[in-house]
Amino acid sequence: EADIYQTPRYLVIGTGKKITLECSQTMGHDKMYWYQQDPGMELHLIHYSYGVNSTEKGDLSSESTVSRIRTEHFPLTLESARPSHTSQYLCASTPPTGVYNEQFFGPGTRLTVL
Amino acid sequence: GENVEQHPSTLSVQEGDSAVIKCTYSDSASNYFPWYKQELGKGPQLIIDIRSNVGEKKDQRIAVTLNKTAKHFSLHITETQPEDSAVYFCAASKGHSNSGYALNFGKGTSLLVTP
């Protein structure tokens, strides 16, 4: 079982609120990712990081932002939540060693914006 | 970029039967092909992976085959059990730093095993 944590697990919030979804891993992984999972199951990469102070946008355009100040922590922030942001958000990480990038996923945060 | 197609999107089998999920990929440089299982309310978990230097890998009731020439790979689950019911994702990756270590996922297959 991978040591990657996400909080909160569930969040219901009103439109216009600022929210931060937390993701932490205790495995010393350098690469971390955020995925948005729609009700149809498909996983969309929205942000990733190669290490401290590195952040990149993923394939799916997102109004969220991320930061990577510490290796173990990769929070995702929505400045002004909207109903279109309602989704499941999954965080993942990959160890620094090896050529192949097995990704370890957290349990996810289910966000509902009213 | 890499495009991964996964079929079927839903699959229903009787307990004890076999289940097969198929994926194709577009980038011949891809060399790492993991499969993930996602149970309800949880994040995806790696169940098996295969690298481009082998054609088949087996782990108990689960096996994966890879055909690099045809650019397709498949997941085989034998003697299915109700606890195999979940969403399964295939993925493909070039697995090196120039590609950004990206995993390109298929759209998922919802497997239901009925007793």
Side-chain angles (χ1 to χ4, degrees):
Chain A
E1 189 97 2
D3 294 327
I4 180 164
Y5 309 99
Q6 290 186 245
T7 57
R9 291 293 316 278
Y10 303 92
L11 180 61
V12 180
I13 202 163
T15 296
K17 299 291 186 184
K18 178 180 178 179
I19 59 169
T20 297
L21 308 185
E22 302 287 351
C23 176
S24 296
Q25 48 88 13
T26 57
M27 300 173 284
H29 289 180
D30 56 345
K31 292 172 281 294
M32 296 187 74
Y33 315 82
W34 275 103
Y35 290 88
Q36 186 172 337
Q37 186 171 31
D38 58 28
M41 306 179 298
E42 191 171 358
L43 293 161
H44 300 283
L45 180 67
I46 51 175
H47 297 284
Y48 60 98
S49 168
Y50 294 141
V52 171
N53 295 326
S54 154
T55 60
E56 305 285 344
K57 289 191 180 294
D59 304 323
L60 181 69
S61 175
S62 174
E63 293 165 345
S64 59
T65 59
V66 291
S67 63
R68 191 86 184 276
I69 298 171
R70 301 196 323 261
T71 299
E72 62 272 19
H73 197 213
F74 191 40
L76 180 145
T77 298
L78 277 166
E79 290 293 332
S80 180
R82 294 208 303 269
S84 60
H85 296 139
T86 294
S87 191
Q88 165 96 323
Y89 291 85
L90 289 161
C91 181
S93 68
T94 296
T97 56
V99 176
Y100 304 99
N101 59 330
E102 175 183 345
Q103 291 187 14
F104 296 85
F105 282 85
T109 294
R110 182 160 295 282
L111 173 65
T112 302
V113 184
L114 304 175
Chain B
E2 175 68 277
N3 182 41
V4 178
E5 302 266 348
Q6 182 172 348
H7 298 280
S9 57
T10 60
L11 179 60
S12 182
V13 300
Q14 290 236 311
E15 183 176 1
D17 288 350
S18 295
V20 181
I21 302 170
K22 298 183 179 182
C23 288
T24 60
Y25 61 99
S26 60
D27 191 338
S28 56
S30 290
N31 58 6
Y32 175 60
F33 308 93
W35 287 88
Y36 285 81
K37 175 183 180 182
Q38 186 177 22
E39 297 176 332
L40 200 61
K42 297 183 179 181
Q45 281 204 311
L46 180 73
I47 54 172
I48 194 167
D49 58 17
I50 191 166
R51 288 137 200 213
S52 60
N53 57 345
V54 297
E56 185 173 355
K57 183 177 177 181
K58 191 172 181 180
D59 182 4
Q60 297 181 26
R61 297 186 296 108
I62 294 173
V64 58
T65 58
L66 171 65
N67 183 328
K68 284 218 76 180
T69 303
K71 295 205 283 281
H72 67 70
F73 56 112
S74 300
L75 178 72
H76 304 253
I77 306 174
T78 58
E79 300 170 27
T80 54
Q81 300 166 4
E83 51 265 39
D84 294 329
S85 296
V87 177
Y88 291 81
F89 292 95
C90 65
S93 171
K94 294 179 190 176
H96 58 75
S97 60
N98 291 339
S99 72
Y101 297 92
L103 275 182
N104 298 282
F105 285 91
K107 292 186 177 182
T109 296
S110 179
L111 172 65
L112 177 65
V113 180
T114 54

